[in-house]
């Protein structure tokens, strides 16, 4: 793959490029989503705006434009959803936004607006990059590979680069993910509750059922996340009967930080095969909530699935356990509760690991170096 030719024209990138990030749906309320992908793109664009002129464009029910600090946010209202697919929008208002940027960074490869942006950039000589967040919809890439339409593929984990078949290709880079380490930080005054914490969408591939089954009867568990499968939610509530499980479907960022700070550990027990026998090929491309918990100074417990072992160093910043194994998960929860000094040291090591490798400043720096490295710098 390292011998693949580039089909793109190379532009001259200014030292201070105007960068346009494109994501199918906005992050947050007012027609947006609270998913990890949407948060990732929002935070990357927000922190990049502190270095270069940055615009974040997404699509939603209402047209709006706002400014947050130095970040310009444009939501293109009432787009055409390709074949009715909610995360596959297209809007004519994208054209002038593309024309006003030096670098375009698409955050989903296999959707029509990204292929359209790549083609426009090829014709106009602009740099275009893509980060695949997993997912997609009907697109030209169903018929022809669009990999070479981009000047670079910016993966959020080594696992992502591998699973999308880009390992060893010089145009594929790993930029990792970041955490706002000022917001997500330890608080010595926080009162620990000795409980486990899960943060994420309540979907079968997240393995939350295994976490509830693993939970000791006398240990609290807080589940923060919106349900997207009513049947699965009913199943979880039945499993939680008689245990100290609290479901929270809506939390502010302040609520979320408070939950991390008081918890014994953050747990992400994702699986390839869920309790219904259904398989998910790519359950986690990064594991953002693990990073957030670690930044708050608590250990992380995850399954040996997808990208998560890249984040959690087993026995140092937390534990990595086999998937679909409540017994192994239970043992680690009990160990953490029974070894407070060692657990505190793991939390400190977790915070250090985030500061060393997973800050947004570092991700922004990697992106800008790649943008500029793909062309002659003026």
């Amino acid at each position: 793959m390292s011998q693949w030719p580039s089909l793109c024209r190379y532009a001259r990138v200014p030292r201070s490029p105007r960068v346009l990030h494109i994501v199918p749906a906005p992050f947050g309320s007012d027609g947006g989503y609270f998913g990890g992908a949407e948060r990732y793109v929002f935070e990357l664009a927000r922190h990049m705006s502190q270095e270069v002129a940055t615009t974040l464009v997404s699509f939603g029910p209402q047209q709006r434009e706002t400014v947050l600090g130095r970040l310009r946010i444009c939501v293109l209202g009432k787009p055409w959803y390709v074949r009715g697919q909610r995360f596959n929008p297209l809007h004519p208002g994208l054209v002038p936004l593309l024309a006003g940027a030096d670098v375009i960074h698409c955050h989903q490869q296999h959707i029509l607006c990204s292929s359209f942006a790549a083609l426009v950039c090829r014709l106009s000589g602009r740099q275009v990059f893509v980060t695949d967040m997993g997912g997609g919809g009907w697109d030209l890439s169903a018929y022809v590979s669009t990999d070479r339409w981009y000047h670079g593929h910016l993966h959020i984990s080594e696992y992502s680069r591998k699973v999308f078949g880009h390992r060893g290709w010089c145009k594929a880079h790993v930029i990792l993910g970041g955490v706002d380490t000022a917001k997500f930080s330890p608080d010595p005054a926080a009162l620990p509750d000795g409980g486990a914490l899960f943060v994420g969408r309540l979907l079968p591939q997240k393995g939350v059922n295994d976490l509830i089954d693993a939970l000791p009867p006398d240990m609290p568990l807080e589940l923060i996340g919106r349900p997207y499968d009513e049947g699965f939610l009913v199943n979880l509530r039945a499993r939680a009967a008689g245990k100290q499980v609290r479901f929270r479907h809506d939390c502010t960022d302040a609520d979320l930080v408070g939950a991390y700070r008081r918890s014994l550990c953050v747990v992400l027990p994702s699986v390839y095969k869920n309790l219904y026998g259904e398989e998910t090929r790519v359950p986690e491309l990064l594991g953002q909530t693990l990073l957030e918990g670690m930044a708050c100074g608590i250990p992380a417990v995850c399954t040996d699935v997808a990208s998560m072992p890249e984040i959690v160093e087993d026995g140092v910043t937390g534990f990595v356990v086999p998937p679909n194994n409540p017994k192994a998960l239970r043992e680690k929860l009990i160990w953490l509760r029974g070894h407070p000094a060692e657990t505190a040291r793991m939390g400190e090591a977790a915070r250090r690991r985030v500061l060393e490798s997973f800050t947004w400043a570092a991700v922004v720096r990697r992106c800008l170096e790649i943008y500029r490295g793909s062309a002659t710098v003026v």
Side-chain angles (χ1 to χ4, degrees):
M1 190 175 290
S2 60
Q3 301 302 312
W4 285 8
S6 171
L7 299 183
C8 301
R9 294 170 56 194
Y10 281 79
R12 294 174 65 83
V13 177
R15 291 188 182 277
S16 236
R18 298 165 298 171
V19 180
L20 178 70
H21 291 273
I22 305 174
V23 64
F27 172 71
S29 56
D30 195 16
Y33 288 80
F34 287 91
E38 291 78 23
R39 179 186 282 274
Y40 182 99
V41 181
F42 170 76
E43 292 291 352
L44 173 59
R46 184 168 71 89
H47 285 81
M48 188 172 288
S49 70
Q50 298 172 15
E51 302 293 329
V52 297
T54 306
T55 299
L56 172 62
V57 60
S58 58
F59 307 82
Q62 299 296 327
Q63 187 95 9
R64 59 186 170 90
E65 182 170 331
T66 57
V67 176
L68 181 63
R70 297 181 179 179
L71 175 64
R72 178 190 177 203
I73 302 174
C74 298
V75 177
L76 299 177
K78 298 180 180 179
W80 170 51
Y81 289 106
V82 182
R83 297 189 174 182
Q85 297 165 345
R86 180 63 183 83
F87 291 93
N88 195 2
L90 195 62
H91 194 289
L94 185 60
V95 175
L97 291 169
L98 294 172
D102 302 303
V103 174
I104 290 83
H105 190 155
C106 303
H107 293 273
Q108 190 56 274
Q109 180 175 352
H110 302 290
I111 56 176
L112 197 56
C113 73
S114 294
S115 294
F116 173 76
L119 286 171
V120 170
C121 290
R122 287 181 63 190
L123 294 173
S124 61
R126 288 175 172 81
Q127 294 283 299
V128 59
F129 300 84
V130 67
T131 295
D132 201 323
M133 308 301 286
W138 184 89
D139 179 43
L140 299 174
S141 59
Y143 309 100
V144 60
S145 174
T146 58
D147 280 0
R148 291 179 290 174
W149 294 14
Y150 301 92
H151 291 91
H153 291 253
L154 279 56
H155 293 280
I156 62 178
S157 63
E158 184 57 48
Y159 169 78
S160 172
R161 179 160 61 176
K162 175 184 176 182
V163 79
F164 289 118
H166 292 163
R167 179 174 285 181
W169 185 27
C170 64
K171 294 298 181 183
H173 312 268
V174 177
I175 59 173
L176 298 177
V179 178
D180 185 337
T181 54
K183 177 189 296 182
F184 294 94
S185 60
D187 180 4
L191 298 176
D193 63 8
L197 173 66
F198 167 87
V199 180
R201 291 176 292 177
L202 297 180
L203 290 170
Q205 66 263 30
K206 295 294 185 178
V208 187
N209 52 291
D210 290 331
L211 175 55
I212 294 176
D213 292 347
L215 188 71
D218 58 346
M219 178 180 288
L221 169 62
E222 199 166 0
L223 302 176
I224 297 179
R226 294 188 174 183
Y228 289 87
D229 184 321
E230 187 61 33
F232 183 58
L233 179 61
V234 171
N235 185 294
L236 294 181
R237 290 191 180 278
R239 290 170 184 268
K243 295 190 174 184
Q244 300 180 46
V245 181
R246 182 186 181 193
F247 291 80
R248 301 179 68 187
H249 301 319
D250 290 290
C251 285
T252 65
D253 273 4
D255 294 333
L256 182 58
V257 171
Y260 283 127
R261 288 171 172 172
R262 65 174 173 266
S263 297
L264 174 71
C265 61
V266 58
V267 185
L268 189 50
S270 297
V271 295
Y272 291 117
K273 180 178 287 189
N274 66 33
L275 75 166
Y276 304 116
E278 301 163 339
E279 295 197 19
T280 301
R281 176 172 169 257
V282 186
E284 299 290 345
L285 282 177
L286 183 64
Q288 185 69 28
T289 61
L290 295 174
L291 292 173
E292 290 172 357
M294 291 165 62
C296 289
I298 62 172
V301 180
C302 70
T303 45
D304 188 9
V305 166
S307 60
M308 295 187 293
E310 295 179 43
I311 293 175
V312 181
E313 189 174 356
D314 188 43
V316 179
T317 64
F319 291 112
V320 179
V321 301
N324 309 100
N325 193 330
K327 181 176 180 293
L329 183 53
R330 179 188 178 98
E331 289 173 353
K332 297 307 181 186
L333 293 176
I334 292 174
W335 189 94
L336 288 169
R337 183 176 59 179
H339 297 78
E342 291 90 339
T343 297
R345 283 196 289 271
M346 279 187 172
E348 293 168 357
R351 170 78 177 175
R352 285 196 301 272
R353 177 156 172 74
V354 170
L355 292 174
E356 290 168 0
S357 302
F358 296 98
T359 64
W360 282 119
V363 179
V364 168
R365 183 179 66 252
R366 294 176 194 125
C367 287
L368 292 177
E369 288 174 352
I370 294 165
Y371 299 161
R372 293 162 177 153
S374 297
T376 303
V377 178
V378 180

